Every structure is written in structure tokens, then in C-alpha cells.
Amino acid sequence: MNNKNFVSWKAPSNIALVKYWGKLEGQIPANPSISFTLTTCYTETSVHLKKLENPSDDFQFDFFFEKQPKPSFHPKIVTFFNRIYKYLPFLKDYRFEIYSENSFPHSSGIASSASAMAALSVCLMQIEKQLNPNISEKDFWQKASFLARLGSGSACRSVQGSVVVWGEHQSIPNSSNFYGITYPFEIHDIFKNYQDTVLLIDKGQKQVSSSVGHDLMHNHPFAEKRFEQAHTNIDHLISAFAQGDLEQFIEVIESEALTLHAMMMTSLPYFILMKPNTLEVIQRIWKFRQETKTPVCFTLDAGANVHVLYPDSYKNEVLQFIKDELIAFCENNQYICDRLNSNY
Ligand code: PMV
């Protein structure tokens, strides 16, 4: 429940199907991306606020992660607040206590910045709405996504909508580089409750952060072709979504995942975030798909974990396959069953 001194929001994680990799000044994506919003992986954030007698020169807040004070997160929040201050001038009028919790295990290798920045942005917009009650529903969500983008690019896709597009694309009206929009076209029923089982291959800290990775797309020898390809892949995905064409869907999704990692391997300096077990899992998914004709495929984010994607109607057989063959490649046999959030 929200009152004047307390706001809260639960924002889900998302997994990109067409990937955002490379950005311009001001968190503008170098190419459009599209994602599934997830269900069981989320961040829940609450903010307690106290009006200051005199507005402060800097930002006054405490941050608690899983109920413990986390001063190590402060610089990230200060950077975020500095970026959004001109859009939310009330930020220096209050002292905030920010509490954040993830539904997924800490250091699981699952990026939490998308859900965390989305949850915090919606909380801040709730405060904004108390101060400007006339803000329309549409402007509220658009600005929340706009702010989330300034926290972490992919966070703007975790604010509203179950399938979300971020970045201008000529086939998608109203698509924007500044915020995510709900995918506006028809999606075949086969994608309803689409399953995403996240295999936790490596829970360690990544050697190269996403922001360094994005930066390495400047002067990257294949960047321009890659950005063009993302546009083309979105067109292919639009048609796969409409027709329920799983073959085309799988081709786009796996090609996007491998291209993302190919960009990392061909950056200077080059780097590899996949682990040997990532490749083992991919080979086994391909073999299983070929032998059983089950439409299961994988995607990767900027790490070693594998997202196994498949229609809800194939849940039993794919989960059995995962248990029989893939779990052995996960750290401590850990995996998370998630799915497309059709109601967000
Ligand atoms: O939002 P960032 O800056 O952490 O970048 C996310 C990049 C990928 O997860 C690899 C792709 C994407 O579109 O989410």
C-alpha cells in the first residue's frame, strides 16, 4: 500500500530476444531490441521518504539490500539520481530510505539491474504523482520507463508490458529510443506463457561489465552490420509472432544470442563470457531438438547462463530433458523456472 511517506513496486526481470548491445551518449541504444517480461524473477523495492526542512545540495538516502545496509550500492544510485535530477527536481527535497529485495538468489549470475532500476523508477514516479496528481496514466508509465533507461538501458523494458520494444524501428509505430513500449502487434497463442528455464551455469562475477561491453561497440569492425541485422531480425520476429512460426522464432533467437557473444569475442580487447558448460548445454539442446523435433531453443544474456525457451505445451518433456541432461552442467545443479509474464 502506498501513502504519502511510503511507496513500493515490484518489477520483473526481462530477457531480450533481439539484443541491445552498443549505445550512444545518454543511454540511447545503437539498435532496437525486444524482450519477454518474466514472472518469477523480480525485484521488490520500497521507498520511505521524509521531507527535509531545507533542500539539500546532494542526494540524501540510505540503501538496504535484503534488509542489510549496502553502502557499496550508493555510487550507482548517486549516478542514477544525477542523471534523472533534472526530470525529478524533488529528489533533493527529501531523505529516502530505499529497501530492495530480489526473488532470485543473490549472485546467481542473473543481472538484477533491469528489475532493480525499473522498480526504483516506478517508486520515484509514484512520488512524482503525489506532487503532480494530474499526470496521465500514459505519461506516468512512459516517464517511468524513460527514467529506468537512464539507470540501466534494459531496465526500460521492465516497467510495463509483457513483450516490450525499445529503440526506433521503422515497422513499429511509436517505438522510441527513449523508453520501452508494449509490442503493438498480434502475438500467436503458442507464445502464451512461453517458458524460460534459466540454467545457472556460472554464478561468479563477470570479468567484463555490460557498460564496458557496450563501449567496445564503438569502433567495432562489425558494429554497423550488427546494428542493421537487429532491425532485420525484428522484422523476422514480427512475422514469427503473428504466424506462430516457431522455426523462424528459434532461428532469430539463437542467432541473436550467438551474435551478441560474437561481438564480445571480436571486440578489442576481446573477451568471452560463455563457459565450457554453456557450449555443452547448447550442443545438447540442438541434439534434443533435432532428435525429438521439440521446438526448444536457447538465448544468452551478457553472461554464461543459458535461458532455455519453449512453448508451455511442451513443458513436461522439456523439463524432463533439462533434469536428465542439462542440470549436471549447472553450478550446484541450480536452475530457475520462469515464463513470459502475460499480465504485466
Ligand atoms: O541494460 P544493460 O546495460 O545491462 O545491457 C543489457 C545488455 C543485454 O542484456 C546483453 C541485452 C539486452 O538487450 O538486455
Side-chain angles (χ1 to χ4, degrees):
M1 234 207 27
N2 295 322
N3 64 35
K4 266 181 114 49
N5 304 317
F6 173 77
V7 292
S8 68
W9 191 252
K10 187 167 122 178
S13 186
N14 73 74
I15 179 69
L17 304 174
V18 172
K19 311 287 183 181
Y20 147 62
W21 197 242
K23 63 179 163 183
L24 314 172
E25 185 65 27
Q27 300 274 103
I28 300 300
N31 65 259
S33 59
I34 187 161
S35 57
F36 276 170
T37 303
L38 299 178
T39 307
T40 57
C41 288
Y42 58 81
T43 299
E44 197 156 14
T45 296
S46 52
V47 179
H48 298 254
L49 52 148
K50 203 164 152 205
K51 182 109 178 150
L52 297 168
E53 300 272 316
N54 299 306
S56 163
D57 279 343
D58 49 18
F59 303 111
Q60 304 240 349
F61 68 89
D62 287 311
F63 181 78
F64 301 83
F65 182 68
E66 275 151 19
K67 301 195 173 67
Q68 301 302 317
K70 268 274 174 201
S72 59
F73 282 30
H74 280 215
K76 251 198 149 133
I77 295 176
V78 171
T79 303
F80 177 49
F81 280 6
N82 270 317
R83 284 186 192 157
I84 64 173
Y85 175 59
K86 64 176 165 212
Y87 308 107
L88 297 179
F90 68 76
L91 284 177
K92 288 187 180 167
D93 297 343
Y94 292 87
R95 174 167 191 88
F96 303 101
E97 267 179 24
I98 306 168
Y99 294 85
S100 197
E101 294 194 8
N102 292 337
S103 65
F104 44 90
H106 186 48
S107 68
S108 55
I110 293 192
S112 61
S113 61
S115 52
M117 286 299 176
L120 181 56
S121 298
V122 176
C123 285
L124 296 176
M125 280 308 294
Q126 288 173 354
I127 301 170
E128 165 88 339
K129 194 171 163 68
Q130 290 176 10
L131 301 168
N132 294 313
N134 293 332
I135 186 164
S136 71
E137 182 82 5
K138 180 167 174 267
D139 288 351
F140 178 96
W141 292 109
Q142 199 161 292
K143 186 163 172 182
S145 175
F146 176 97
L147 298 172
R149 180 191 105 246
L150 295 170
S152 167
S154 56
C156 77
R157 299 187 311 237
S158 272
V159 167
Q160 192 189 33
S162 55
V163 178
V164 181
V165 179
W166 168 41
E168 275 170 34
H169 188 279
Q170 63 162 11
S171 310
I172 304 182
N174 303 319
S175 53
S176 168
N177 286 337
F178 299 106
Y179 46 81
I181 62 162
T182 300
Y183 180 76
F185 304 129
E186 192 195 334
I187 299 182
H188 191 280
D189 273 352
I190 190 82
F191 294 102
K192 211 167 171 220
N193 291 329
Y194 217 75
Q195 299 291 307
D196 177 4
T197 304
V198 192
L199 305 179
L200 305 179
I201 303 288
D202 184 68
K203 304 196 285 173
Q205 192 80 17
K206 287 188 279 189
Q207 312 110 300
V208 180
S209 71
S210 286
S211 39
V212 170
H214 286 294
D215 262 358
L216 293 174
M217 288 302 279
H218 294 294
N219 305 318
H220 190 292
F222 307 131
E224 284 316 310
K225 276 281 168 224
R226 157 60 199 154
F227 301 146
E228 272 172 42
Q229 178 202 41
H231 284 263
T232 311
N233 278 342
I234 286 189
D235 276 322
H236 291 158
L237 201 54
I238 291 172
S239 117
F241 274 155
Q243 287 157 30
D245 183 342
L246 290 179
E247 226 170 276
Q248 191 173 31
F249 176 80
I250 289 172
E251 189 176 285
V252 170
I253 277 26
E254 292 190 345
S255 161
E256 276 289 320
L258 294 178
T259 301
L260 169 70
H261 285 258
M263 290 299 112
M264 299 172 187
M265 290 188 235
T266 48
S267 300
L268 265 183
Y270 40 80
F271 59 105
I272 300 180
L273 296 183
M274 291 187 285
K275 297 283 179 193
N277 283 353
T278 311
L279 293 178
E280 273 294 343
V281 163
I282 291 173
Q283 301 288 352
R284 282 172 191 256
I285 291 172
W286 283 343
K287 186 159 180 276
F288 177 76
R289 187 165 80 219
Q290 196 177 28
E291 285 172 1
T292 64
K293 307 289 170 235
T294 308
V296 53
C297 69
F298 70 87
T299 189
L300 308 167
D301 54 19
N305 294 338
V306 181
H307 290 247
V308 186
L309 299 176
Y310 48 98
D312 190 39
S313 51
Y314 287 89
K315 201 159 138 184
N316 292 342
E317 52 266 53
V318 178
L319 271 178
Q320 197 56 52
F321 158 65
I322 289 174
K323 284 180 194 150
D324 292 345
E325 286 203 43
L326 304 185
I327 283 176
F329 299 104
C330 299
E331 208 175 319
N332 304 327
N333 295 340
Q334 269 189 299
Y335 64 104
I336 295 174
C337 291
D338 212 329
R339 63 180 186 281
L340 172 61
N341 186 336
S342 309
N343 303 314
Y344 192 57

